[in-house]
Amino acid sequence: MLLHLIAIFLVLSKNFVSGFIVPIPRLPRINILLSNDDGWAEANIRALYTALNRRGHHAIISAPAVDLSGTGSLDVPARPLLVEGEYGTIPVGAPAEGFEENDPRINYVNSFPVTSVKYGLSSLSTKFFGGPPDIVLTGPNVGNNLGITTQLSGTMGAAAEAVKQGIPAIAFSGATGPHRPYTELTVGDHSSVYAQVAVRLAQALIVSGKPYLPPGVRQNVNFPASNATTCSSPYQFRFVLSRIYNNRFATDVSLCGSTHLPAESDVIRPRDPAQDHGCLASISTFSGSTKIDAGREAQAFVLRKLGPMLTCP
């Protein structure tokens, strides 16, 4: 009983200002659908799934049964498996859609990333959420998606599909690889770091309230390399508002004394190899239908949402 009273006192004392009790803010807990193009058993997506659920969110996975990187927006009906699923996680002859035995929220779809998102929105979200998710997060992709590669990436295609169906989406990608199964995850490795950085960014949008993003617009976020000596902590990462394509004729939102945002490739891979990178991550805002940069109105919307998290390149 005494310990219980002491705990209450400590909580109240930390929230007592000028004689008034300050209520502890309650962070929103939302429904999130995850997908990728690297496959349902890849380490990055599993690390993000774990990180989101630990923060109290309700996350589910609907991702390809095998690695289908570089498949863009391809979409065909799922079929029973003719080969083993990724890393031997699914036997030959298994159904077109299925889930992990110990966790029915982790699902595979034997088709492309876009098909996986469609299944997640039409079936899994209804089953687990009772309706559509609040947001769709794809990745983190193994390897960055910069410039023209955004047109080819299945991780990007999956995010675009969500936007087409009216759900805000963020596609995450990280420079560090290679592909590896989730069974090789270790505490503090690059997959865990990327997952925590992704949660930080998503949380900033969530706390700002709906709408998280403008209609028809999604975000492309690229993380720099992460290892034991470089960008090893999620709190070292800083975000730069950028654009996918370097267009010197475009007029972007005014930021850092300029109306021209840097290309994301210049943020992640500076032109001067000797330049101190500083763990910069790029955030580009672009159309879910055309996969090209969104206009300055959409950029300004994101700037208002994420302003405190952004830094100048």
Side-chain angles (χ1 to χ4, degrees):
M1 179 66 178
L2 177 60
L3 291 176
H4 182 67
L5 291 173
I6 292 173
I8 293 175
F9 172 78
L10 289 174
V11 170
L12 293 178
S13 64
K14 289 182 179 180
N15 296 277
F16 191 88
V17 180
S18 302
F20 296 94
I21 299 296
V22 179
I24 302 173
R26 195 172 209 178
L27 294 178
R29 304 293 190 253
I30 68 169
N31 300 323
I32 303 172
L33 173 65
L34 303 180
S35 193
N36 69 357
D37 69 1
D38 295 312
W40 82 312
E42 213 287 319
N44 283 1
I45 193 172
R46 295 298 184 94
L48 181 55
Y49 173 77
T50 299
L52 287 166
N53 282 308
R54 282 179 177 171
R55 288 296 295 267
H57 298 297
H58 309 290
I60 58 176
I61 290 178
S62 182
V66 297
D67 179 7
L68 286 172
S69 299
T71 53
S73 294
L74 293 176
D75 175 25
V76 299
R79 296 181 179 180
L81 278 79
L82 299 179
V83 297
E84 272 191 332
E86 188 173 44
Y87 306 121
T89 53
I90 314 169
V92 175
E97 297 99 1
F99 55 86
E100 196 165 277
E101 182 178 357
N102 297 324
D103 191 345
R105 289 176 174 260
I106 300 177
N107 292 258
Y108 74 80
V109 176
N110 190 33
S111 188
F112 296 108
V114 165
T115 317
S116 300
V117 166
K118 284 186 170 182
Y119 177 71
L121 294 176
S122 64
S123 299
L124 298 177
S125 293
T126 301
K127 175 180 178 181
F128 291 106
F129 304 149
D134 294 294
I135 195 169
V136 171
L137 306 180
T138 63
N141 191 74
V142 179
N144 288 135
N145 279 311
L146 305 166
I148 192 65
T149 62
T150 59
Q151 298 288 334
L152 308 174
S153 166
T155 295
M156 306 298 289
E161 180 59 33
V163 172
K164 290 177 184 177
Q165 297 201 34
I167 310 297
I170 308 174
F172 294 101
S173 301
T176 300
H179 290 79
R180 62 195 179 117
Y182 70 92
T183 53
E184 294 182 9
L185 276 169
T186 58
V187 176
D189 67 8
H190 70 272
S191 295
S192 299
V193 171
Y194 287 156
Q196 293 177 68
V197 181
V199 170
R200 276 184 60 206
L201 183 64
Q203 194 73 27
L205 283 178
I206 293 166
V207 170
S208 70
K210 294 183 178 181
Y212 301 137
L213 293 170
V217 168
R218 62 189 167 121
Q219 287 184 323
N220 184 36
V221 178
N222 279 279
F223 301 136
S226 173
N227 53 50
T229 59
T230 302
C231 303
S232 58
S233 166
Y235 299 102
Q236 292 176 291
F237 286 69
R238 298 177 297 152
F239 299 94
V240 175
L241 194 60
S242 59
R243 56 176 18 259
I244 295 176
Y245 298 105
N246 189 5
N247 181 358
R248 62 189 181 91
F249 299 107
T251 301
D252 297 319
V253 66
S254 180
L255 183 63
C256 300
S258 173
T259 56
H260 184 73
L261 298 177
E264 54 190 10
S265 57
D266 289 337
V267 174
I268 300 300
R269 294 195 291 263
R271 294 179 182 179
D272 180 2
Q275 182 178 341
D276 178 19
H277 187 276
C279 299
L280 297 181
S282 65
I283 303 178
S284 299
T285 304
F286 64 113
S287 166
S289 57
T290 63
K291 300 182 184 179
I292 62 174
D293 288 288
R296 58 184 173 181
E297 292 82 7
Q299 295 168 351
F301 183 98
V302 173
L303 178 59
R304 290 192 296 273
K305 287 275 189 177
L306 301 177
M309 298 189 71
L310 301 176
T311 188
C312 295

